[in-house]
C-alpha cells in the first residue's frame, strides 16, 4: 500500500474539512466493499503458509515434538495451524 499526498488528489475544501478531525495525522481510508480483496489475494502467502503447514505436519508425523517444531518454524507451542 502506497501513500498519496492528499493535496494531489483531493479538493482543498475536503482537505480543510478532514483537518478539522485529523490535522497532520495519517489515516487509512478503506476500499469500498465491492473492491475489497480476500486476505492474501495479491501475494503468494496463502500458498506459502499451506506449504509450511504441510511440512510441519510431515515433520510431526516423522516424530518431531511440538517444542521442536515451534522452535524450527518460529511459532508458539499453542499456535493453531
Amino acid at each position: 500500500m502506497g501513500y498519496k499526498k492528499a493535496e494531489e488528489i483531493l479538493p482543498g475544501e475536503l482537505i480543510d474539512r478532514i483537518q478539522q478531525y485529523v490535522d497532520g495525522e495519517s489515516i487509512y481510508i478503506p476500499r469500498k466493499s465491492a473492491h475489497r480483496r480476500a486476505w492474501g489475494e495479491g501475494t503468494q502467502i496463502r500458498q506459502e503458509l499451506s506449504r509450511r503447514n504441510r511440512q510441519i505436519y510431515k515433520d510431526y508425523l516423522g516424530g518431531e515434538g511440538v517444542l521442536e517444531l515451534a522452535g524450527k518454524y518460529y511459532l508458539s507451542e499453542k499456535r493453531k495451524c
Side-chain angles (χ1 to χ4, degrees):
M1 172 179 74
Y3 291 94
K4 299 188 189 292
K5 292 187 177 188
E7 58 270 4
E8 293 177 1
I9 58 174
L10 299 174
E13 310 84 55
L14 182 55
I15 293 173
D16 290 339
R17 182 78 173 155
I18 292 170
Q19 285 172 328
Q20 292 176 7
Y21 299 93
V22 287
D23 189 15
E25 299 290 325
S26 295
I27 62 171
Y28 171 73
I29 300 172
R31 290 180 173 269
K32 291 182 177 183
S33 295
H35 298 139
R36 288 190 183 151
R37 291 186 266 172
W39 179 84
E41 188 177 324
T43 66
Q44 297 296 314
I45 192 67
R46 284 183 173 192
Q47 292 84 355
E48 290 173 25
L49 289 177
S50 179
R51 195 170 25 257
R52 181 207 64 184
N53 292 343
R54 285 193 304 271
Q55 186 61 48
I56 290 171
Y57 187 61
K58 182 179 175 184
D59 292 347
Y60 178 77
L61 293 176
E64 290 188 50
V66 173
L67 290 176
E68 292 173 293
L69 294 168
K72 182 177 180 178
Y73 291 97
Y74 304 99
L75 299 169
S76 69
E77 298 90 38
K78 294 184 179 183
R79 171 87 175 153
K80 294 180 181 174
C81 297

